[in-house]
Each structure stands twice: as structure tokens, then as C-alpha cells.
Amino acid sequence: MIKLGVIADDFTGATDIASFMVSAGWKVVLFNGVPNRAFAAGDTDAIVIALKSRSIPVNEAVEMSLTASAWLKTQGCQRQFFKYCSTFDSTPQGNIGPVTDALMKFLHAPVTLVCPAVPDNGRTLFNGHLFVKGALLNESGMEHHPVTPMKHASVKKLMEAQSSGLCGNITLDMVKNHAEELGSEIEKQVANKAKYLIFDILDNQDLLTVAHATSDFPLVTGAAGLGYAIAALDTLSVSAPKATLSIESKGAAVVLSGSCSAMTNQQVDFYQQRASSLALDVEKIIHEPSYLETVTAWVKSRSHEYPAPMVYATQPPQIIELIQKHYGAEFVSEKIEVFFASLARSLASEGFNKFIVAGGETSGAVTQGLNIDGMIIGEPVAPGVPWTQVLDKQQWVILKSGNFGQPDFFLKAQEQYDE
């Protein structure tokens, strides 16, 4: 039986929690959207469903999340987890509260946990307030977020403004010094009409304590740190062997980079000094239909090389600005995404079976181009960025957000191949 079903409100968040659980020793499968088929789980410990529900209208987010929950229920998941960002990205009109309420009703959960803490990433809770690397959430820069500006650090205020119930806070003293009394404290909070519980958390030991105290909750909510704690408690209790993912060295690999973030620029600069690289010509992408065939042929001719060849649209900001001024930002972005999707599909047909991809939009394009609906999560190459194996295929993919990883990321990723 599957131990945990996770509903994530975006793709990168889904990958994040999946990677954390794999680090704790679980075997995890991630689906891009709600599957339209049953899944033979085998020895899978957790299923993660990636939705795009963070910033869409509330009624759509609720409907999408309930559909995911119903599918997880049919798969026999023992418990469910609603995963959102560790900076609680949601306004008073946002989706975290309504989705949580809908899932609680559907799963008959009288109380749930609200836990955005990820100590490893500097997200901690004290007196019910969320801190980001020591700064209150509303003083961390998140107050300027263009879509979900965070105006409060009190998780109680944030949650109660968009939900139908009351929050109870369980203090750090209780978590650290009276763990054996947490069961009775939870009962007390519920008797006082608390529907959502917020525990103070400063470190990973606190997370483990909280995960243990709430292990009988049919639904929990929070960020990736809680996923790690739930998996770690389980693997510690049974001394389970650590899950591993084998990545075949045979076949061909390619690096595809579309992100223009500062870190990806560094990664491209580092890598092009060590491997064959081709900068995409945006003018040709726009005006020459045969350009796809040209680029495919260039990559194919280097399929034997190690490190793998790289194709990149990554450019310094000033060059991107000039191109966007001439053609329009949305037009250029769409053309590049479509090109990467087509290139990935073309290379797969030529025997390429390992794709190292940089950039959120580029990752989405490659996922679409390769027609990926599900993947098995492997060990991270960098925090939150794992190798994955496409379900039912001998095909492996890394999908990296722009600013993740160190300058040698593309090279480091290829060190994990099996001999």
C-alpha cells in the first residue's frame, strides 16, 4: 500500500518534495497532472501529483485538487499531503485555505497540520510566525512578490484570512521539551475549536517530532521539509534500504538550456569551456523551418561525446532585452519553447535517452515534447534537482529551475551514470 499521496500546487514544488522524500530513503513517483489511468505501484512509497493550481481561480484550484485526491484515494494511499510553497505564497483571496478545507471535508479530517517549515532552507516557525533565513516573512522580500505579496508573517493570520476555521499554535517549548504531551495538547486544541495546527519548528529534529505527533492525521499540509520528516520516520522505523535510480551510460545525452538566470549563465559559461556547445539563433528559430533539422544534425553528430553536447538559448540580460524589444517578449519565449519541445522530440527519435534541462519554461516544453506524464524520482544532483526516469521507458531527465545548482551542475549531473 502506498504510504503517502501528495498533491502539489506547482511542478517545481512537486519535484522539490519528491526529491526530499527520496533523500530520506523512499521510492517516489511523480505525475505531471492527474493521471487518466491506474498505476501499478509495486514498491512505490509515495506518489506526487504536480498541479498548476497556485495562482488560478479558487474554484478551479479546489476542483483540480479534489480530482487529484480522489485519484490518490483509488490508488490506496494511506494518507494525503497538500504541498505548497515554504513561503506560504497565498493572499487572503488565495487558494491554500480553500483547497485545505475542501480536502479536509473530502477525506473526513477533523484537524490538519499547517507546516511551511523547511529548516534546511532557512524556513522556520516561532510563536506561529514564519521566518525566511532569520527575517520575518513580510520583511524577507516576499512582501514585494508580484502575484502573492506576503503582508504578514503570522501563519495564523494568513490561514484564517482565507479559510473557514481557526488555527491553534503549539509552542516551541512543547515541541522541544514535552513531546510526550503533544497528543493531549492536540486534543486540547481541537476541543478549543482549532481546525488547523501550527507547531513552532526551528530544526529538523522539531520536524521529526511534529511528524510523529501528527502521524495519524489523514491529511497534512505544508512544504517539502515535512515530506522529508514523514519519510525519514518511516525509513528509520524499518531500517529500509535507500532507494536508488540507475541511469544507463549507454545511449546519448544532451544539455538543453533555456533559462537566462544569473546562475544558469554561469553554468553555461563553465560548461561550454568543457563540451561542444551551440548557441541558438533566435532569428533562424523564427524564420527558418529547416533550422530544427540543422540543430538536430549538429547534436546527433556529437552523440558519442562526453561530456554531452549543449544547445542553449541562455543569453546575458542585455541581449535578451534587444531581441524582445524587436519581436516582443511573449512571442520570442513561445517560439523558443516550441523549438525546445520539437528538438527534444527529434533527438529522442534519434536515440538520445538522457536530457539535462535548465529553466522552468524550457523544462515544461521538454516535458511536453517527450510526452512525459510520469517519472520515478532519483537522487538529487543539487538540492531539489534530481535525476528522474520516465515511467515505462529507458529515458532519464533532469528538470532544473534557473537559479538552482552550482556552476559545474551540468558536468556533475553526468557523473551519476552507471558504468
Side-chain angles (χ1 to χ4, degrees):
M1 185 176 284
I2 297 165
K3 296 162 187 170
L4 190 66
V6 180
I7 302 162
D9 66 1
D10 76 345
F11 187 86
T12 54
T15 306
D16 191 22
I17 190 170
S19 180
F20 267 70
M21 290 189 293
V22 167
S23 295
W26 271 8
K27 182 177 179 181
V28 182
V29 172
L30 186 153
F31 286 100
N32 189 16
V34 182
N36 55 14
R37 58 186 172 89
F39 168 61
D43 59 350
T44 301
D45 295 297
I47 293 176
V48 180
I49 295 179
L51 303 178
K52 293 182 179 178
S53 60
R54 178 172 298 172
S55 302
I56 63 176
V58 169
N59 60 330
E60 293 178 27
V62 167
E63 182 180 357
M64 196 181 287
S65 302
L66 287 175
T67 301
S69 181
W71 187 87
L72 290 169
K73 209 172 181 182
T74 65
Q75 293 297 302
C77 294
Q78 294 176 13
R79 306 172 69 201
Q80 292 191 23
F81 186 135
F82 172 37
K83 192 307 183 166
Y84 42 78
C85 187
S86 61
T87 47
F88 206 86
D89 296 3
S90 187
T91 64
Q93 296 76 39
N95 295 344
I96 292 177
V99 169
T100 298
D101 284 343
L103 291 173
M104 290 179 75
K105 183 177 179 181
F106 181 68
L107 297 171
H108 308 291
V111 62
T112 193
L113 173 63
V114 177
C115 184
V118 187
D120 285 349
N121 292 339
R123 275 59 165 169
T124 55
L125 286 159
F126 183 65
N127 286 340
H129 286 66
L130 181 55
F131 290 80
V132 178
K133 295 183 177 178
L136 285 164
L137 176 64
N138 59 316
E139 297 175 1
S140 67
M142 283 300 298
E143 68 270 28
H144 304 302
H145 193 285
V147 180
T148 54
M150 305 312 296
K151 301 300 185 183
H152 298 287
S154 166
V155 178
K156 177 180 172 69
K157 284 184 180 179
L158 292 168
M159 189 66 182
E160 289 183 353
Q162 58 186 281
S163 62
S164 63
L166 300 175
C167 287
N169 182 225
I170 296 178
T171 66
L172 190 65
D173 178 59
M174 283 292 303
V175 172
K176 285 200 174 292
N177 301 318
H178 305 283
E180 71 284 355
E181 298 175 23
L182 285 175
S184 58
E185 179 64 21
I186 290 169
E187 291 178 4
K188 178 181 169 184
Q189 295 275 352
V190 172
N192 288 333
K193 309 299 183 186
K195 189 175 177 182
Y196 326 102
L197 296 180
I198 303 159
F199 289 75
D200 287 351
I201 292 169
L202 292 188
D203 54 38
N204 285 332
Q205 183 55 53
D206 296 340
L207 264 182
L208 288 168
T209 299
V210 171
H212 182 265
T214 58
S215 59
D216 62 344
F217 285 17
L219 172 73
V220 292
T221 82
L226 179 62
Y228 177 87
I230 291 170
L233 277 179
D234 178 67
T235 53
L236 283 171
S237 67
V238 297
S239 300
K242 199 163 188 179
T244 57
L245 184 70
S246 296
I247 305 159
E248 289 184 359
S249 58
K250 68 180 182 181
V254 64
V255 177
L256 303 176
S257 179
S259 167
C260 293
S261 72
M263 180 50 72
T264 305
N265 267 286
Q266 290 183 46
Q267 289 162 345
V268 166
D269 289 345
F270 179 93
Y271 194 72
Q272 65 185 175
Q273 297 174 42
R274 294 160 175 82
S276 298
S277 59
L278 176 68
L280 289 177
D281 186 324
V282 176
E283 295 277 352
K284 289 183 178 180
I285 288 175
I286 294 170
H287 297 297
E288 293 184 18
S290 63
Y291 188 51
L292 175 64
E293 188 178 329
T294 302
V295 175
T296 300
W298 181 90
V299 179
K300 185 181 177 184
S301 70
R302 290 157 177 81
S303 62
H304 61 285
E305 294 183 1
Y306 183 91
M310 173 174 65
V311 177
Y312 65 98
T314 300
Q315 298 286 351
Q318 61 270 27
I319 295 178
I320 290 294
E321 189 177 345
L322 286 173
I323 295 170
Q324 289 177 340
K325 273 185 179 178
H326 188 66
Y327 291 106
E330 287 186 18
F331 178 80
V332 171
S333 294
E334 183 182 352
K335 287 291 184 182
I336 291 173
E337 286 172 37
V338 169
F339 186 87
F340 271 122
S342 300
L343 179 61
R345 187 163 50 245
S346 176
L347 291 172
S349 71
E350 296 288 351
F352 282 76
N353 63 350
K354 292 178 286 291
F355 296 82
I356 300 168
V357 187
E361 299 303 324
T362 309
S363 293
V366 170
T367 300
Q368 185 177 24
L370 296 176
N371 196 27
I372 297 172
D373 68 346
M375 53 190 72
I376 301 167
I377 306 300
E379 286 288 313
V381 178
V385 193
W387 267 110
T388 70
Q389 182 176 356
V390 180
L391 277 182
D392 306 321
K393 292 183 182 179
Q394 294 300 99
Q395 190 176 75
W396 294 265
V397 181
I398 285 181
L399 305 171
K400 183 190 82 73
S401 294
N403 279 314
F404 281 43
Q406 296 301 312
D408 64 348
F409 178 85
F410 298 143
L411 200 61
K412 190 177 178 183
Q414 295 170 63
E415 295 171 358
Q416 294 192 7
Y417 300 166
D418 287 344
E419 293 299 328

